[in-house]
Amino acid sequence: MAEILTLLWGGFLVAFQPLNLMLIIFGCTVGLFIGAMPGLGSVNGVAILLPLTFLVPPTGAIIFLAAIYYGAMYGGAISSIMLGIPGASTAVATTFDGRPLAKQGLADKALTAAAVASFVGGTISVVLFTFFAPPLAHVALFFGAPEEFSLMMLAFATFVGLGGDDIAKTLFSICVGLVLSAVGLDIISGEPRLVFGDIPGFMRGINFLVLAIGIYGIGEMLWTVEENYKAGGKSMLSKAVVTVSRTVKNLKELLGMWKTMLMGSFLGYFVGILPAAGATPGSLMSYGIAKQIAPDPDKFGKGAVEGVIAPEAANNAASTGSMLPMLTLGIPGSPTTAILLGGMVIWGLEPGPLLFTQNADFVWGLIASLYAANLFAVIINVAFIPVFIWVLKMPFTLLAPIIFLLCLIGGYAPTQSMHDVWLMILFGIVGYLLRKLEYPLAPAVLAIVLGPLAEPALRQSLLISNGSFEIFFTRAYSAPIMISALILLALPLLKLLARQMKRKRSQA
Amino acid sequence: MRKAELTMAIVMGIFSLYLMWKSTELEIGWIQGEGPGGGAWPFWLATVMLISCIFIIVNWVRKASPPSRSAEVFMDRGTLIAVGLVAGSLIVTVALFYVIGVYGALPLFMIFYVRFLGRHTWPVTAAMATITPVATFFFFDIALKITLPKGLPIVEETIFYPLYKIFL
C-alpha cells in the first residue's frame, strides 16, 4: 500500500510538470469538442492527433492522448443529450433518457448529471486501477472466446428481458444489426459475404456509424420534422435555461443518486478490463441494471436522470478499465486503446507486465494524469454547458440543416466514401418508418457494434468444443454469465405465463 | 396504421428470406477443421428475423401490439409532404456532391431549407449559406484534413487548388 502511494506521488510530480499539465488541459478541451460532434468520437480524436505527439516525450504524449480520450468520453454524452445522436457507440445508452430529458427542457440537468457521473465513474475507476491493476490483469487472462460470447449474449439479453418493448420487434432489431455487421468479408475464410447487388462498397462492410447516424441523425431529424409540422412549426429541439441556482439544485438532486453512480462505476470498470468488451456493453448493462433496481422503472426511457447517470458512470469507468489490459497484457479493450497501444509501440515502450517495473515513471505518470484529466474534464464540461444550451435555443429550422450537414459529413468522414452517405440516408428513412411503427432501434445499433466481436467469439468457441454448445456452460467464468443471459431472455416469457396463470385463477 | 404495420412485417419478412438465401452463397453447415461456415451466422440470424416477423404478424391478427390497434392514419398528406420535402432535398443535395461538390451543394441546401422551409428572412438565409460552408471548409478540410467531395475535377481545380495553396 505504502509503496503504491509513493509511486503514485512520483506519478503526480510527473503529471503536474507544466508541459504535461498544459497537455492535459488542451487534450481535454479538444477531446470534449471532438466527442460532441456526431460521428466523431475518441477514436477519431486520438487517431487524428497521434502524429502531433511525436513532438513531446513519450510520457507527455500518452498523457495528451489519454486526456483526449477522457475529454471525448465526456463529450459523447453532449450530442446524445442535445441532438439525440450518440457521438460514439459508448454513448448510445445515454440517448435513451438524455434525449427525453432535453425535450422536456431539462437539458441542463441531463448535461450536469452526465458530467458528474462521468467524473465519479472516472475517478472511482482510476482509484481501482491504482490499487488493483496487477491482480485484475491476472483474472482477465482467463477470458477466452466462450466468455466473450457469453458476455455479448448477456448484453443482448438485457434488451429483451428488461427493454419493455415488443419482444418480437426487439429480437428483430437485434438480428438486423447483427446481420448488417456480417456484411463484407468473412473474418475467418476471407470470402465476400452478403455483398448486395455486387456493389463494391459492401465489401468493406457496414460501419456502425453509418447505421447510427442514419437512425439517430437522419431518422430522428425526420421524426422531429414531423412533430414540428404537427405542432404548427413552433416546436424547438429543446428549451432550457441555465442559472446558478438551477445548477446547485441539480447537483443536490444528484447526491441522492449515489447508488446508481457507484453501481455504474464498478460495473463499468470490471467490464472495461475484459479484453474486447469495453465501454459499450458496459454502459448498456449498467443502464439495464439501473432500470431494474430503480424504484420506478417505468420512468426509464421517458427522461429518468438515473438513465443518464448509469451509462455515463459506466462508460467513463470502462474507458479507464480498458487501459489495464492494454498496459499489462498488450491487449486493447477498445478501438481507442488499440491506437494508444500503437502509439506506445512507436515511442519504443513495450506493453506487458514488465512495463510496470521497467518504465515505472511512464505508468505512474499516466495513472496520475488520469486523476488530473478527470478533474479538468468535468470543470471544462460544466463551464461549457451554457454554450451548449444556447445552441439549443436556435429555431428548429436553423438548427436542422446544420445537424443534417453534420450527419452527412459524419457519415462520409470515417471511410471517405459516398457509398456510406447513400446507405446512411437509406437507413435514416427506413429507421424513421420503423420507428413510427414502434420498432426499438437502439438494439440494432448496439448489435452492429458488437456483431464483429460476437461472431468470431462464437465460431472460435465452437471450434474449440468441436461444435458443442456445452462449452458455454462448463467453464467457470462463462457458465454464470451465460445462465444469467438465458434467464433474462426467458424473463418476458415467464412474465407472460405468470399473467395467464393469474387470469385463469381469477376466472376460476 | 394497421395496414402499415402488416405491410412492414411482410416486407421485412421477405427481406429476411432474401438474407437467408444470400447467406447460402457461403457454406452454412459445419466445415471439418474450420468450424461453422461463413454463411452460418447470418443464415441463422436471418431465420430468427423471419420468425420475429411471423410473430409480429400473429400479434397483428390478435391485435396485441399498439400499432395494430391504432386507427390513426400512418402518414397524412401534410406529414408526407413535410417529411418528403426534407428527405428529398437531402437526396438531391447528396446527388449534387458529385457535380458541384459539398461546397456548391451546401449553400443551395441552406437556401432551400432556411428560406423556403423555414421562412426566415433573406439576410438570415444569406448568413447561413455563407457561414456554414466556410466553417465546414476550415474545420474539416483544413484543420482535420478530411477532404470532402469537391465534385467534378474542373470545380476542384479552379476553386480549391488556389485555396489549398494558401492554407495547406
Side-chain angles (χ1 to χ4, degrees), chain B:
Chain B
M1 196 63 106
R2 235 178 103 70
K3 238 187 245 165
E5 170 86 347
L6 183 67
T7 315
M8 186 60 96
I10 292 173
V11 170
M12 288 298 152
I14 294 170
F15 180 56
S16 315
L17 277 172
Y18 167 74
L19 286 173
M20 284 167 73
W21 168 78
K22 190 84 184 156
S23 301
T24 55
E25 284 178 359
L26 274 75
E27 179 61 47
I28 58 163
W30 186 267
I31 304 173
Q32 203 53 46
E34 273 185 38
W41 170 255
F43 178 82
W44 290 109
L45 287 168
T47 313
V48 178
M49 276 169 65
L50 183 65
I51 296 170
S52 306
C53 288
I54 294 171
F55 267 97
I56 294 170
I57 295 172
V58 170
N59 280 338
W60 179 83
V61 174
R62 291 174 46 223
K63 296 195 179 184
S65 63
S68 63
R69 274 195 302 269
S70 164
E72 227 179 290
V73 189
F74 181 64
M75 246 187 175
D76 57 47
R77 232 181 102 79
T79 312
L80 192 66
I81 292 173
V83 175
L85 271 178
V86 173
S89 68
L90 271 180
I91 292 171
V92 172
T93 306
V94 175
L96 282 175
F97 282 5
Y98 292 99
V99 188
I100 48 175
V102 169
Y103 298 107
L106 189 55
L108 295 181
F109 174 67
M110 286 292 165
I111 291 171
F112 175 76
Y113 208 110
V114 175
R115 175 68 209 176
F116 296 101
L117 293 182
R119 301 208 180 95
H120 290 278
T121 57
W122 274 111
V124 175
T125 312
M128 287 287 282
T130 39
I131 294 170
T132 44
V134 172
T136 311
F137 179 73
F138 281 103
F139 189 74
F140 288 97
D141 276 80
I142 303 297
L144 293 180
K145 308 238 174 342
I146 296 172
T147 16
L148 299 175
K150 298 290 179 319
L152 297 173
I154 179 144
V155 179
E156 176 156 24
E157 281 157 19
T158 49
I159 300 172
F160 288 96
Y161 280 15
L163 284 176
Y164 292 152
K165 266 204 192 128
I166 303 171
F167 296 108
L168 283 180

Side-chain angles (χ1 to χ4, degrees), chain A residues 196-250:
Chain A
F196 307 112
D198 285 324
I199 300 169
F202 284 115
M203 295 280 262
R204 253 186 297 108
I206 298 173
N207 190 313
F208 94 90
L209 276 172
V210 173
L211 185 71
I213 300 178
I215 286 177
Y216 288 108
I218 310 271
E220 170 84 21
M221 287 307 289
L222 292 178
W223 175 267
T224 320
V225 166
E226 179 182 336
E227 291 202 332
N228 189 47
Y229 164 77
K230 284 182 178 159
K234 288 198 184 68
S235 87
M236 279 202 281
L237 273 190
S238 167
K239 42 193 184 304
V241 281
V242 224
T243 56
V244 176
S245 63
R246 258 176 85 111
T247 311
V248 171
K249 197 175 132 246
N250 288 339

Side-chain angles (χ1 to χ4, degrees), chain A residues 156 169 178 221 223 246 263 268 274 307 344 394 402 507:
Chain A
F156 293 128
K169 287 176 178 171
L178 288 173
M221 287 307 289
W223 175 267
R246 258 176 85 111
M263 183 278 297
L274 303 173
M344 280 173 64
M394 286 167 76
I402 297 179
Q507 277 171 1

Side-chain angles (χ1 to χ4, degrees), chain A residues 252-312:
Chain A
K252 269 191 195 149
E253 264 177 59
L254 288 176
L255 281 181
M257 298 172 188
W258 59 275
K259 266 191 222 155
T260 314
M261 279 193 215
L262 280 188
M263 183 278 297
S265 310
F266 281 97
L267 183 82
Y269 178 71
F270 286 104
V271 176
I273 56 171
L274 303 173
T280 307
S283 61
L284 177 72
M285 280 186 212
S286 171
Y287 181 86
I289 294 179
K291 186 171 174 180
Q292 214 174 24
I293 59 171
D296 42 358
D298 291 339
K299 245 176 65 191
F300 277 72
K302 294 175 197 130
V305 181
E306 289 97 331
V308 174
I309 290 176
E312 277 304 306

Side-chain angles (χ1 to χ4, degrees), chain A residues 45-130:
Chain A
V46 170
I48 293 164
L49 294 169
L50 181 67
L52 269 188
T53 62
F54 298 132
L55 305 172
V56 292
T59 313
I62 187 111
I63 287 176
F64 180 57
L65 293 182
I68 295 174
Y69 187 18
Y70 250 89
M73 293 304 283
Y74 277 77
I78 294 169
S79 77
S80 293
I81 293 169
M82 312 278 297
L83 310 175
I85 309 169
S89 64
T90 48
V92 170
T94 313
T95 54
F96 301 164
D97 278 284
R99 183 81 192 113
L101 276 170
K103 278 190 174 161
Q104 292 159 25
L106 298 170
D108 60 325
K109 192 174 186 175
L111 288 170
T112 316
V116 172
S118 297
F119 175 71
V120 172
T123 306
I124 289 180
S125 66
V126 183
V127 174
L128 290 173
F129 192 102
T130 312

